[in-house]
């Protein structure tokens, strides 16, 4: 596999159209960028002959040049860039064959024009770096370091061009989208290695297309967005004989359409399309498709308790209980529909959308579970929990996420959700928080047998949504510096930010531990027996030593069956929040390092885009033949926002649903209101007059 999006679309310099002075003045910047790429980006030789007329050809040409035996190292790579102005870096016709230059009469080195020209330019470069050129006499001379960076005339601490890095994320999206468009257009699944697609419904649901709409808007990819919009207008229908997952369809399809409506109406300058303009026939296309879908999803809520069924039939809107789990729905899935349906209620004035999803929250809360921690299954038949398994990974995670986001969505008017969030946070600290050994990393474990059972020191990658969400809750979307100036800031907020920082470091360690630099799906941790108390002293190392035998690596354990990487977004999601809120640039740098790992180890040859990994802890990694829709909807979007200016999607104006679809904060107005109240509790948080809750088995 070989793709290097870091040089895509670079315009080749034409030496005969620029002066020596221009070349000399620009060479330092060129060298710095090439040097950075050389340090960060290993390459492997591609196995297949490309389409020589395709623009991706230039990408592979440059990659081939970097591995074609012309030396190695930073300075060698820089030299190759310079000599590349004189020589062709194009691939040989067959890349799996040895490549030799054509024979010819031997000439002495000083009679070869290319060599002489290259040497002359090298001298000009050196004179420029040393400041010996005549026109440089009046220019200030900065300090020279002894490292390779210093030799190039720059410092490791020199400001990074984040716009350039952001542009490279766009190029990665373009590679991914174009591969899908080329090989699997209209399909709901994309298999980039086999170059094939698959429908999830007889006529397709636009799973990848709709999930990617707002990412293309934010990135201003107008032509690609037009193609997607055309498919939605002409090919998308929800009237199909197909059962779909209530939760996944809501967060991806309904959320994607609502976000596209929001961005196209409130930010018309983003990837503008005339058909979206006010007064045009297609002005409300996204909203109309969203309302049609939502009406079909409502059948899932037709249950005795109000807890929605796991699935729903699209054509007749009939709810379907879970095929497994004795008919129980996932707690996270039942409680991660609220942002989408509440916003739709605001747009349409249809209050039933609002009332159905908030009833779910009332039923959950009436169970009065200790510590605000909910088991991961609940029965639609009676609204009671099944089992006692408590975790913030799969089937539990986004319940907690949507507590604080519901509070923020309605401009902090529904305090009931803030109270539930605070209660849950206290429960997480008391029952799930501990520290690893020997280094003392902060982890949030699981209680498979309830709060009375043992703590399992295991973290799904999904848990890594939590540090960013904790920071968001502490500052309510302001920067930490701004929030600290408010009279409402307390010692508890300090503790929350400390918790967020420590857990963020653990999530990053889950990446650093792996051979590819890409996290496993599940990571276990070594802990004391019994596990350390939440208030135990701990002082983990600030950095992750790259030595394969480094002491910190003893804290992490990845089992072979858990080593896959599915291109998940949760860690970069939290990096985005942590950067926006704290302003600490290390979170941006961690995101960039993650991005380069994705580029190096998940790219697919023959213009295939990027794929999931079956084992991210071996080199080369074993690959899976699948690109998740959230790679485009979430992972690359969060990367883009991480490297963008903070004015793009400000956190005090929006909420991002659990699929990273931005929705606006809004006032409820006269039509909408919180239709339930928490039942009175005693000093221990128990509902007065209610027996201790028990879970059904």
């Amino acid at each position: 596999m070989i793709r290097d999006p870091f040089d895509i679309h670079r315009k080749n310099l034409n030496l005969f159209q620029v002066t020596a002075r221009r070349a000399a003045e620009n060479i330092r910047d060129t060298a710095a960028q090439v040097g950075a790429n050389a340090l960060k980006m290993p390459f492997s030789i591609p196995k297949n002959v490309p389409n020589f007329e395709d623009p991706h050809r230039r990408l592979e040409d440059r990659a081939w040049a970097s591995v074609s035996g012309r030396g190695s190292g930073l300075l060698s790579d820089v030299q190759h860039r310079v000599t590349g102005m004189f020589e062709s870096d194009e691939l040989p016709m067959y890349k799996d064959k040895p490549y030799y230059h054509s024979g010819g009469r031997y000439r002495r080195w000083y009679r070869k024009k290319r060599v002489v020209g290259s040497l002359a330019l090298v001298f000009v470069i050196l004179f420029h770096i040393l400041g010996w050129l005549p026109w440089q006499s009046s220019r200030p001379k900065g300090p020279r370091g002894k490292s390779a960076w210093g030799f190039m005339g720059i410092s490791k601490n020199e400001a990074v061009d984040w716009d350039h890095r952001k542009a490279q994320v766009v190029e990665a999206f373009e590679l991914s989208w174009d591969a899908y468009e080329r090989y699997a257009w209209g399909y709901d699944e994309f298999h980039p290695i086999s170059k094939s697609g698959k429908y999830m419904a007889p006529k397709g649901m636009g799973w990848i297309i709709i999930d990617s709409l707002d990412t293309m808007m934010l990135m201003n990819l107008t032509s690609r967005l037009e193609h997607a919009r055309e498919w939605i207008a002409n090919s998308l229908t929800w009237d199909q004989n197909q059962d779909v997952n209530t939760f996944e369809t809501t967060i991806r399809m309904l959320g994607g359409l609502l976000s596209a409506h929001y961005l196209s109406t409130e930010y018309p300058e983003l990837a503008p399309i005339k058909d979206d303009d006010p007064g045009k026939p297609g002005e409300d296309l996204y909203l109309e498709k969203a309302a049609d879908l939502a009406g079909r999803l409502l059948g899932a809520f037709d249950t005795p308790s109000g807890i929605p069924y796991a699935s729903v039939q699209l054509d007749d809107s009939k709810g379907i209980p879970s095929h497994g789990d004795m008919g129980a729905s996932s707690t996270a899935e039942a409680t991660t529909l609220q942002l989408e349906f509440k916003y739709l209620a605001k747009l349409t004035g249809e209050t039933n959308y609002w009332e159905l999803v908030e009833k779910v929250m009332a039923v959950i809360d009436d169970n009065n579970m200790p510590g605000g921690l909910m088991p991961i299954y609940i029965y639609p038949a009676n609204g009671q929990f099944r089992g006692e398994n408590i975790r913030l990974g799969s089937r539990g995670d986004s319940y907690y996420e949507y507590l604080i986001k519901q509070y923020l969505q309605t401009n902090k008017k529904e305090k009931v959700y803030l109270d539930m969030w605070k209660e849950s946070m206290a429960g997480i600290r008391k029952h799930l928080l501990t520290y690893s050994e020997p280094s003392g990393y902060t982890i949030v474990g699981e209680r498979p047998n309830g709060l009375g059972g043992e703590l399992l020191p295991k973290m799904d990658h999904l848990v890594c949504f939590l540090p960013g969400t904790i920071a968001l809750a502490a500052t309510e979307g302001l920067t930490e510096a701004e929030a600290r100036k408010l009279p409402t800031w307390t010692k508890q907020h300090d503790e929350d930010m400390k918790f967020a920082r420590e857990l963020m470091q653990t999530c990053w360690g889950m990446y650093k531990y792996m051979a590819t630099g890409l996290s496993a799906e599940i990571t276990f941790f070594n802990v004391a027996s019994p596990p350390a108390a939440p208030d135990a002293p701990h002082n983990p190392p600030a950095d992750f030593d790259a030595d394969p035998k480094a002491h910190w690596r003893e804290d992490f354990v990845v089992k072979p069956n858990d080593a896959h990487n599915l291109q998940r977004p949760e860690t970069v999601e939290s990096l985005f929040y942590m950067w926006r809120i704290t302003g600490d640039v290390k979170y941006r740098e961690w995101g960039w390092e993650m991005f380069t790992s994705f580029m190096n180890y998940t790219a697919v040859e023959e213009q295939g885009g990027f794929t999931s990994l079956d084992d991210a802890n071996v080199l080369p990694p074993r690959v899976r033949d699948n690109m998740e829709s959230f790679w485009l909807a979430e992972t690359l979007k969060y990367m883009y926002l991480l490297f963008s200016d903070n004015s793009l999607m400000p956190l005090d104006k929006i909420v991002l649903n659990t699929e990273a679809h931005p929705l606006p904060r809004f006032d409820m107005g006269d039509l909408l209101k919180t239709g339930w109240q928490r039942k009175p509790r005693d000093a221990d948080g128990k509902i007065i007059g209610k027996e201790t809750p028990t879970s059904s088995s």
Side-chain angles (χ1 to χ4, degrees):
M1 298 187 300
I2 181 160
R3 289 290 184 272
D4 174 20
F6 301 107
D7 279 326
I8 300 171
H9 305 146
R10 177 185 289 273
K11 295 180 181 179
N12 294 322
L13 294 176
N14 185 334
L15 184 64
F16 302 103
Q17 295 179 348
V18 296
T19 65
R21 175 174 176 175
R22 284 280 303 279
E25 289 180 341
N26 291 326
I27 196 63
R28 181 166 60 184
D29 293 336
T30 303
Q33 182 61 46
V34 174
N37 288 349
L39 286 173
K40 292 179 178 290
M41 297 296 293
F43 300 95
S44 57
I45 300 176
K47 299 176 182 178
N48 296 279
V49 179
N51 177 350
F52 290 88
E53 300 301 322
D54 194 278
H56 295 273
R57 169 69 177 176
R58 297 193 301 275
L59 166 65
E60 295 184 339
D61 286 344
R62 280 188 288 275
W64 175 260
S66 70
V67 295
S68 58
R70 299 178 184 174
S72 60
L74 176 64
L75 298 181
S76 175
D77 196 37
V78 174
Q79 181 183 1
H80 294 163
R81 291 293 173 142
V82 176
T83 58
M85 299 176 185
F86 298 87
E87 300 178 359
S88 172
D89 279 347
E90 291 187 354
L91 294 165
M93 184 61 68
Y94 299 101
K95 299 184 202 174
D96 56 348
K97 304 289 185 183
Y99 178 54
Y100 302 99
H101 290 284
S102 57
R105 183 171 56 88
Y106 173 79
R107 294 185 294 174
R108 297 183 183 273
W109 69 269
Y110 54 80
R111 297 187 64 185
K112 297 179 180 178
K113 294 180 181 179
R114 290 177 178 173
V115 175
V116 173
S118 299
L119 287 175
L121 188 55
V122 167
F123 278 115
V124 171
I125 295 167
L126 291 175
F127 285 177
H128 168 76
I129 292 173
L130 296 173
W132 292 353
L133 296 176
W135 54 81
Q136 291 182 292
S137 58
S138 61
R139 295 175 62 179
K141 297 177 174 57
R144 304 292 184 201
K146 293 184 179 180
S147 66
W149 294 87
F151 181 80
M152 287 298 152
I154 63 175
S155 165
K156 287 184 179 180
N157 297 322
E158 186 168 329
V160 173
D161 185 350
W162 292 105
D163 284 339
H164 180 65
R165 292 185 172 183
K166 179 180 68 174
Q168 291 167 19
V169 176
V170 175
E171 290 167 354
F173 181 94
E174 290 173 332
L175 282 175
S176 303
W177 178 266
D178 292 352
Y180 166 70
E181 197 173 42
R182 182 180 301 111
Y183 298 115
W185 181 248
Y187 286 103
D188 302 305
E189 298 177 12
F190 175 42
H191 307 296
I193 296 175
S194 60
K195 309 293 189 297
S196 63
K198 182 180 178 181
Y199 284 127
M200 295 168 56
K203 300 177 183 179
M205 294 182 62
W207 204 253
I208 293 174
I209 293 173
I210 294 173
D211 219 8
S212 305
L213 289 172
D214 53 15
T215 306
M216 289 186 283
M217 290 178 179
L218 291 171
M219 293 181 177
N220 266 306
L221 300 177
T222 307
S223 62
R224 292 171 175 82
L225 179 63
E226 286 178 332
H227 192 197
R229 191 185 185 286
E230 179 185 0
W231 186 91
I232 293 170
N234 298 326
S235 301
L236 177 62
T237 176
W238 302 120
D239 189 18
Q240 301 187 59
N241 181 22
Q242 181 66 46
D243 63 294
V244 297
N245 180 275
T246 307
F247 160 75
E248 296 287 359
T249 306
T250 297
I251 65 168
R252 302 191 198 209
M253 301 296 94
L254 184 59
L257 289 166
L258 291 174
S259 179
H261 172 77
Y262 165 58
L263 293 182
S264 63
T265 54
E266 297 299 322
Y267 299 91
E269 71 278 6
L270 295 175
I273 296 177
K274 292 182 179 180
D275 288 342
D276 291 336
D277 291 346
K280 292 296 181 72
E283 174 187 4
D284 295 323
L285 173 67
Y286 302 129
L287 181 57
E288 290 168 357
K289 292 292 185 180
D292 183 7
L293 175 60
R296 298 168 188 274
L297 294 174
L298 289 183
F301 295 88
D302 187 12
T303 68
S305 69
I307 296 295
Y309 288 124
S311 300
V312 64
Q313 187 76 14
L314 278 179
D315 54 358
D316 63 8
S317 187
K318 183 179 180 180
I320 303 171
S322 173
H323 301 302
D325 310 313
M326 299 178 65
S329 296
S330 157
T331 300
E333 293 185 359
T335 56
T336 311
L337 315 168
Q338 284 67 24
L339 295 183
E340 297 80 3
F341 277 93
K342 283 185 169 183
Y343 180 46
L344 184 59
K346 176 67 175 179
L347 289 172
T348 64
E350 298 289 341
T351 58
N352 61 317
Y353 294 136
W354 181 286
E355 293 161 356
L356 287 171
V357 294
E358 76 167 3
K359 182 179 180 181
V360 175
M361 304 307 299
V363 173
I364 292 284
D365 192 58
D366 284 350
N367 275 271
N368 195 210
M369 301 306 294
L373 301 177
M374 307 299 162
I376 61 174
Y377 292 105
I378 188 168
Y379 288 112
N382 57 21
Q384 295 181 355
F385 287 106
R386 172 180 178 249
E388 298 180 284
N389 192 347
I390 293 172
R391 66 186 183 216
L392 270 78
S394 61
R395 301 187 180 276
D397 50 356
S398 50
Y399 162 71
Y400 306 94
E401 175 190 357
Y402 268 36
L403 289 179
I404 191 60
K405 288 185 176 180
Q406 285 187 79
Y407 170 67
L408 296 176
Q409 182 185 37
T410 52
N411 283 324
K412 300 181 282 189
K413 294 300 189 297
E414 297 186 280
K415 189 174 180 293
V416 60
Y417 300 116
L418 177 63
D419 293 340
M420 294 171 70
W421 163 262
K422 289 180 177 179
E423 184 177 304
S424 296
M425 278 295 298
I428 291 168
R429 288 179 179 277
K430 181 178 180 179
H431 298 291
L432 304 181
L433 175 62
T434 190
Y435 307 100
S436 64
E437 285 193 332
S439 303
Y441 294 107
T442 298
I443 68 172
V444 174
E446 303 179 358
R447 297 277 183 180
N449 298 309
L451 298 185
E454 293 186 354
L455 179 71
L456 179 66
K458 162 183 173 281
M459 279 177 58
D460 293 355
H461 186 276
L462 291 165
V463 179
C464 288
F465 85 93
L466 189 56
T469 304
I470 292 173
L472 175 66
T475 68
E476 298 182 348
L478 300 175
T479 66
E480 184 179 12
E482 292 169 335
R484 285 182 176 278
K485 296 176 183 177
L486 299 176
T488 52
W489 189 267
T490 66
K491 184 179 179 181
Q492 184 59 57
H493 292 103
D494 286 327
E495 290 298 315
D496 288 345
M497 289 304 301
K498 181 175 181 287
F499 186 10
R501 286 182 167 92
E502 291 180 355
L503 190 59
M504 186 77 262
Q505 184 188 29
T506 303
C507 288
W508 180 233
M510 291 161 63
Y511 280 74
K512 298 294 288 184
Y513 178 78
M514 301 293 284
T516 59
L518 297 172
S519 175
E521 179 74 356
I522 298 171
T523 302
F524 286 81
F525 295 86
N526 287 314
V527 297
S529 181
D535 59 354
H538 56 286
N539 187 29
D543 300 307
F544 294 95
D545 188 344
D547 187 341
K549 298 181 180 179
H551 202 45
W552 67 267
R553 300 183 68 84
E554 298 174 20
D555 294 58
F556 295 76
V557 177
V558 173
K559 299 179 180 180
N561 289 341
D562 301 331
H564 48 287
N565 180 280
L566 302 182
Q567 305 171 298
R568 286 201 185 275
E570 289 76 24
T571 297
V572 70
E573 170 187 353
S574 281
L575 290 175
F576 160 67
Y577 282 114
M578 293 299 289
W579 155 249
R580 285 281 184 97
I581 290 168
T582 71
D584 191 336
V585 74
K586 75 179 180 183
Y587 299 121
R588 269 185 154 184
E589 293 292 357
W590 290 356
W592 176 249
E593 188 174 335
M594 183 194 302
F595 178 72
T596 61
S597 294
F598 274 120
M599 297 302 99
N600 283 336
Y601 297 114
T602 71
V604 178
E605 61 191 9
E606 293 181 334
Q607 308 169 29
F610 300 88
T611 189
S612 302
L613 300 180
D614 199 50
D615 189 342
N617 209 22
V618 295
L619 294 178
R622 294 200 304 271
V623 297
R624 290 189 174 190
D625 188 13
N626 191 56
M627 181 197 77
E628 298 287 351
S629 74
F630 51 67
W631 167 249
L632 302 177
E634 297 188 75
T635 306
L636 290 177
K637 181 187 293 164
Y638 279 125
M639 291 281 186
Y640 181 81
L641 291 172
L642 178 61
F643 303 147
S644 295
D645 188 89
N646 291 0
S647 61
L648 181 63
M649 299 292 104
L651 294 181
D652 60 342
K653 303 297 182 185
I654 65 162
V655 288
L656 289 140
N657 87 335
T658 199
E659 190 75 4
H661 295 309
L663 304 173
R665 299 191 188 190
F666 58 82
D667 294 322
M668 291 185 285
D670 297 331
L671 190 62
L672 305 173
K673 63 180 181 179
T674 307
W676 69 284
Q677 294 180 343
R678 302 189 81 186
K679 294 178 179 177
R681 263 80 167 167
D682 61 21
D684 296 325
K686 297 179 181 178
I687 294 178
I688 297 174
K690 182 179 177 66
E691 296 181 1
T692 302
T694 57
S695 299
S696 303
S697 58

